[in-house]
Amino acid sequence: MIQKGIEETPLFREYEPLLSAMGITLVDINEIDRGSSVLVTIVIMAKEEEVNVDHCAKVYRLVYPRMELTLGERDLQLEVTTPGLQRTIKDSYEFSLFTGKRVRVYDISKTAWVSGIIKTCDDHSLTLDEVFIEDGKEMIATMVVELASIQKAKLDYRWEDNSHGN
């Protein structure tokens, strides 16, 4: 099931305002404690453009010293990355970040994979345009999917959705 609440985690609350001031959207932040070391993974998007290596480097340079101070003697491994073309969506918060992008969700109420472009998202539902229900091989103009009925979700990049010079 899709989770809720990443926005309430201490790491998200601490780093989201810092990154937002830089024009960066925090998609996900995850910490794995490995005893004497800690692995932190940060997933980012640029607000006004496609995210690139320079964005990742800026975030790394801002976050690393701050995290290192809080860890004391423990080693820090920090990874800053982009969502990627086929990101698995973990939290309902992410749907609002990917408005206008194609997503593929497994809807347990239909027992089928549903693909569509995110039009809107609120606390309870997701509205998709240009919907394709894979098992039924049917196309629908618009569909509302309840967040509670989404078992799995991921970005579904397709060349046809973007103008790429052809």
Side-chain angles (χ1 to χ4, degrees):
M1 292 293 180
I2 301 295
Q3 299 175 359
K4 275 189 172 183
I6 190 168
E7 297 166 289
E8 305 304 319
T9 63
L11 279 175
F12 190 94
R13 285 185 171 193
E14 182 176 352
Y15 290 100
E16 192 279 330
L18 293 171
L19 299 183
S20 185
M22 295 173 53
I24 302 288
T25 301
L26 180 57
V27 176
D28 191 14
I29 186 165
N30 188 22
E31 179 180 80
I32 299 173
D33 190 340
R34 295 182 172 162
S36 65
S37 67
V38 176
L39 170 64
V40 178
T41 305
I42 299 174
V43 181
I44 62 168
M45 292 173 50
K47 291 183 181 178
E48 301 295 324
E49 59 189 315
E50 289 294 319
V51 69
N52 59 41
V53 175
D54 291 336
H55 294 108
C56 293
K58 285 178 188 175
V59 169
Y60 186 93
R61 287 191 301 270
L62 173 75
V63 171
Y64 191 88
R66 188 179 180 111
M67 284 188 171
E68 200 170 40
L69 282 173
T70 62
L71 292 175
E73 295 293 314
R74 296 167 57 192
D75 291 330
L76 171 63
Q77 290 180 285
L78 177 63
E79 296 177 4
V80 181
T81 184
T82 68
L85 295 176
Q86 295 184 325
R87 174 175 173 74
T88 299
I89 295 174
K90 300 174 187 173
D91 193 281
S92 59
Y93 153 79
E94 293 182 46
F95 288 119
S96 63
L97 300 179
F98 299 119
T99 300
K101 305 267 189 208
R102 182 169 293 280
V103 69
R104 189 170 178 243
V105 300
Y106 187 81
D107 185 348
I108 58 175
S109 67
K110 297 209 177 311
T111 61
W113 284 97
V114 176
S115 176
I117 298 173
I118 301 172
K119 182 177 181 180
T120 61
C121 180
D122 60 32
D123 290 340
H124 306 289
S125 64
L126 179 66
T127 304
L128 301 174
D129 282 341
E130 300 177 26
V131 179
F132 178 71
I133 301 173
E134 293 180 12
D135 288 352
K137 305 282 189 231
E138 60 181 301
M139 294 284 291
I140 301 172
T142 301
M143 178 179 178
V144 176
V145 180
E146 296 297 318
L147 292 179
S149 69
I150 297 175
Q151 185 173 10
K152 300 176 187 177
K154 68 187 309 182
L155 290 178
D156 187 21
Y157 185 81
R158 301 218 177 139
W159 287 106
E160 303 88 50
D161 289 342
N162 296 317
S163 172
H164 53 85
N166 292 335

